[in-house]
Amino acid sequence: MSNATYQTTGTPRLVELGTAACIPCALMKPGLDELKTEYAGRLDVEVIDTLLNPGAKTEYNAPYCATQVYIAASGKELYRHVGYSSKEDILANWRQLGIDLSVPVKQPKPGAQ
């Protein structure tokens, strides 16, 4: 893990960096797509193809394909993993980090500070 801080999104974020030619990346795609749908509003899932966006490798300090970066709602990097991760592994990692994705994120009321 690094001391990196990324853009604040208001929800936890998983960034997967890889390529379409990467076998572990391709195997992860269905699970990542399910996470995007099933946890919409509670988890942002971003898949970045580093062949199409090579600057992302530098931005996320991710020289290897199939790198997952776990980012808190505050933008602070919490954890990273290199290699294949199943949907279940990803959810278990969030639980180990103390993030309960089963609970909807509380949004501030309009005008509240």
Side-chain angles (χ1 to χ4, degrees):
M1 182 179 86
S2 72
N3 290 324
T5 301
Y6 301 98
Q7 180 180 355
T8 301
T9 62
T11 57
R13 185 163 52 124
L14 176 72
V15 178
E16 160 59 20
L17 296 118
T19 69
C22 164
I23 293 172
C25 301
L27 292 172
M28 288 178 60
K29 186 172 179 350
L32 293 169
D33 289 344
E34 289 174 10
L35 287 170
K36 279 183 187 181
T37 302
E38 293 171 19
Y39 291 88
R42 294 175 281 169
L43 175 67
D44 290 333
V45 178
E46 183 178 1
V47 177
I48 300 174
D49 187 318
T50 58
L51 288 178
L52 300 175
N53 186 356
K57 291 169 84 172
T58 302
E59 178 183 352
Y60 289 96
N61 190 25
Y64 306 107
C65 275
T67 296
Q68 301 90 52
V69 182
Y70 293 70
I71 303 169
S74 66
K76 181 178 187 238
E77 181 177 328
L78 300 173
Y79 175 70
R80 66 177 47 221
H81 177 268
V82 176
Y84 174 83
S85 281
S86 68
K87 174 183 167 184
E88 293 75 20
D89 291 339
I90 291 168
L91 291 171
N93 287 334
W94 282 113
R95 283 190 298 274
Q96 287 179 340
L97 292 167
I99 309 285
D100 183 1
L101 296 174
S102 64
V103 179
V105 176
K106 292 183 181 177
Q107 298 294 327
K109 293 180 181 178
Q113 295 198 20

